[in-house]
Amino acid sequence: MSENKLTKKYGLATAICMVVGIVVGSGVFFKAQNILQKTGGDMMLGILAWIIGGVIMLVCISAFSFMATKYEKVNGFVDYAEALVGKKYGYYVGWFALMIYYPGMTSALVWLSARYTLVFITSAFPSVQLVIPASEGGCLIGPECFALSLFILVASYSLNALSPKIAGKFQVSTTVVKLIPLILMAVVGTIVGLCSPSATLVNNFNAPVQTTGHPLFAAVVATSFAYEGWILATVINAELKDAKKNLPLALLIGGIIIICIYLFYYIGVAGGADVNTLMKDGASVAFTNIFGNTFGSILNLFVAISCMGTVNGLMLAMTRGMYSLGIRGEGPKPRLFSQVDEVSNMPMNSSVIGVFIVGVWFLYFYLANLAAYNWFGVFGFDSSELPIVTIYAFYIPIFINFMRKSTDLGKFKRFVIPSLALIGSVFMVGAAIYAHGIEPYLKAKENGVFVFPVLFYLIVFAVVMLAGYLLRNKSKADA
């Protein structure tokens, strides 16, 4: 074994691709439909929702970019929590990320990668037969989907554990690939929508609106999940060349790219079909109308590759989770999990426990969401999105203490941006509680059923954090 230290192996391009590649997953291909439904077809309101969601993300990114110029250790997010709030808080942030946040999203993304790979295969090659026919949901719940999900999980783990440099190159490649259909639709869809005899895009902006309740709030809730994930890029802090310069640049450049992609893609999709059709059938009809049926099938392959790129970024973070605790002398068996392999320069023991935790969450995800019988009944919750409620809650003390302690910074960096990020974080927490707690509770109540997913998630959260408390290596951690 070599010295327990990760080498500087990643450049600015890889870091930017991590930010863009993790955030831009499968959701962006379908959020146009969701946003239109929430706003009742109001294009301008939808654009405003994308902008508000993007601004919240960007101010949070800006605040963390300021932190990145001041603190550098082994895992950006945990480093900032530890430096600004305290060693114990940093540990619990890292424990939560390792045990719930990373694996919850990763388990859902490996399934999505398998799902859209099968959708592409069965649409491009109709002769391929699944155990459960594709028309009956075989691409979602069939044994082929389950087996392919496990293969993608193991392949992603192997790539990151054995060859981190290749994993970085894969992240760059998948980011480029996933941007192709988005940029094509943004450019071609807008041109076609403006120049076609039917002037589809112009008509969509002038179409009658049908809204109820609070459409802007509901639309921003929908965008909030599309913008999630950028914080994961900070896990390569110790492996990024000139991290104090490149990490802030990667966060800001990546964030701006994401906002532009989402906004112009949304407009481009509206150039491919009328609003009512888009609300009913989604963005795929716009791709088919503009590029033909063949490209419509290929789109599913792009979505699958997009998901795989996100899985790669998540697994990159997951393999380093226990290491970031162990190197601090915290968590279970810190000496074991802080070891770095001298050949691969990877924390192999940390990687092994990381993929095991993802496997546990994948089992839960499958039984709670995909199995023929929901094993958890009303106790089931969305393990891919609900952790967002908590991650933004964890941001709040960090932003408050950053304002309190950063006496060497000017007022703009010390107060203005962190205050806006604090407000945005509070909004995200409230938005997630509304979307996954209050709204499903009210709908279920009408049918005489008690369903409150946030409550059941919080119970699991409490149990996991209690385990973290019991397993914390207090004697060394507090020394």
Side-chain angles (χ1 to χ4, degrees):
M1 290 293 177
S2 65
E3 181 186 357
N4 293 338
K5 186 176 180 180
L6 299 172
T7 61
K8 304 286 187 179
K9 61 178 79 75
Y10 298 122
L12 177 62
T14 300
I16 293 173
C17 287
M18 270 202 71
V19 177
V20 177
I22 293 173
V23 175
V24 182
S26 62
V28 64
F29 291 97
F30 311 105
K31 281 299 179 181
Q33 178 185 15
N34 193 220
I35 301 303
L36 283 169
Q37 290 172 343
K38 298 293 185 183
T39 60
D42 190 327
M43 285 294 300
M44 290 304 300
L45 201 61
I47 290 174
L48 181 60
W50 281 116
I51 293 174
I52 292 174
V55 168
I56 292 174
M57 178 191 70
L58 201 58
V59 293
C60 289
I61 281 178
S62 298
F64 275 101
S65 71
F66 299 152
M67 297 176 203
T69 63
K70 294 169 66 67
Y71 310 108
E72 177 186 352
K73 196 172 181 182
V74 295
N75 182 324
F77 183 30
V78 180
D79 296 340
Y80 311 147
E82 181 180 87
L84 292 169
V85 185
K87 197 171 182 66
K88 289 182 181 179
Y89 191 76
Y91 166 75
Y92 288 117
V93 166
W95 181 260
F96 163 75
L98 170 68
M99 300 301 295
I100 299 178
Y101 183 65
Y102 299 154
M105 291 192 294
T106 307
S107 61
L109 263 296
V110 295
W111 169 73
L112 280 170
S113 301
R115 170 189 173 182
Y116 288 109
T117 300
L118 289 174
V119 170
F120 164 72
I121 292 173
T122 54
S123 60
F125 307 99
S127 59
V128 174
Q129 298 296 317
L130 303 180
V131 173
I132 300 175
S135 59
E136 298 176 15
C139 296
L140 283 72
I141 59 174
E144 296 90 348
C145 183
F146 186 79
L148 187 55
S149 297
L150 294 179
F151 171 78
I152 292 171
L153 172 61
V154 173
S156 179
Y157 158 73
S158 301
L159 182 65
N160 279 277
L162 300 177
S163 184
K165 287 187 177 180
I166 295 179
K169 292 179 180 178
F170 180 76
Q171 189 68 37
V172 174
S173 301
T174 55
T175 300
V176 172
V177 169
K178 73 173 63 178
L179 293 183
I180 292 174
L182 297 173
I183 294 174
L184 273 176
M185 177 54 77
V187 176
V188 179
T190 301
I191 294 173
V192 171
L194 290 173
C195 300
S196 64
S198 59
T200 306
L201 188 57
V202 176
N203 291 334
N204 282 341
F205 272 92
N206 296 321
V209 178
Q210 301 175 356
T211 59
T212 58
H214 304 283
L216 180 60
F217 180 79
V220 175
V221 170
T223 68
S224 66
F225 300 113
Y227 283 119
E228 176 60 18
W230 52 269
I231 191 64
L232 300 185
T234 64
V235 301
I236 62 169
N237 196 30
E239 301 162 85
L240 185 62
K241 299 172 184 176
D242 196 2
K244 288 190 175 181
K245 174 186 176 183
N246 286 333
L247 186 56
L249 281 175
L251 290 170
L252 289 171
I253 294 172
I256 293 170
I257 290 173
I258 292 163
I259 294 171
C260 293
I261 289 172
Y262 281 15
L263 193 58
F264 290 108
Y265 170 76
Y266 177 75
I267 295 172
V269 165
D274 64 85
V275 166
N276 291 327
T277 302
L278 289 172
M279 285 193 289
K280 179 182 177 183
D281 300 322
S284 60
V285 68
F287 276 93
T288 301
N289 289 346
I290 293 176
F291 300 105
N293 291 323
T294 300
F295 191 86
S297 296
I298 296 176
L299 173 64
N300 292 311
L301 179 61
F302 280 114
V303 176
I305 294 173
S306 174
C307 292
M308 291 177 193
T310 305
V311 168
N312 183 70
L314 289 165
M315 187 60 70
L316 189 149
M318 197 68 212
T319 54
R320 291 156 174 79
M322 194 64 83
Y323 170 81
S324 70
L325 299 179
I327 201 67
R328 292 174 164 84
E330 297 190 339
K333 297 188 179 297
R335 289 187 61 190
L336 176 68
F337 293 116
S338 63
Q339 292 179 342
V340 176
D341 184 80
E342 62 182 5
V343 177
S344 65
N345 190 239
M346 277 294 295
M348 297 303 294
N349 296 331
S350 174
S351 300
V352 170
I353 195 66
V355 76
F356 172 77
I357 296 169
V358 176
V360 172
W361 277 100
F362 178 78
L363 180 62
Y364 170 83
F365 177 82
Y366 189 88
L367 295 177
N369 298 282
L370 306 176
Y373 175 74
N374 183 347
W375 285 39
F376 298 94
V378 297
F379 295 95
F381 57 84
D382 189 332
S383 56
S384 64
E385 291 189 349
L386 273 175
I388 297 173
V389 178
T390 320
I391 204 70
Y392 275 97
F394 273 121
Y395 291 164
I396 294 172
I398 295 175
F399 292 142
I400 292 173
N401 280 277
F402 183 73
M403 290 186 283
R404 186 171 63 87
K405 294 183 177 182
S406 300
T407 55
D408 57 324
L409 298 180
K411 291 182 179 180
F412 181 77
K413 290 184 177 180
R414 183 183 177 186
F415 294 112
V416 177
I417 292 298
S419 294
L420 293 174
L422 178 63
I423 294 170
S425 297
V426 172
F427 175 84
M428 288 296 195
V429 172
I433 291 173
Y434 174 82
H436 290 276
I438 297 173
E439 190 173 46
Y441 167 74
L442 294 175
K443 289 182 178 178
K445 187 178 179 182
E446 295 177 357
N447 300 319
V449 180
F450 177 76
V451 175
F452 202 79
V454 169
L455 175 62
F456 305 126
Y457 163 74
L458 289 175
I459 293 172
V460 172
F461 169 79
V463 171
V464 170
M465 299 308 286
L466 176 62
Y469 169 79
L470 296 174
L471 292 172
R472 184 168 181 250
N473 190 13
K474 301 182 186 65
S475 59
K476 292 186 177 181
D478 295 332

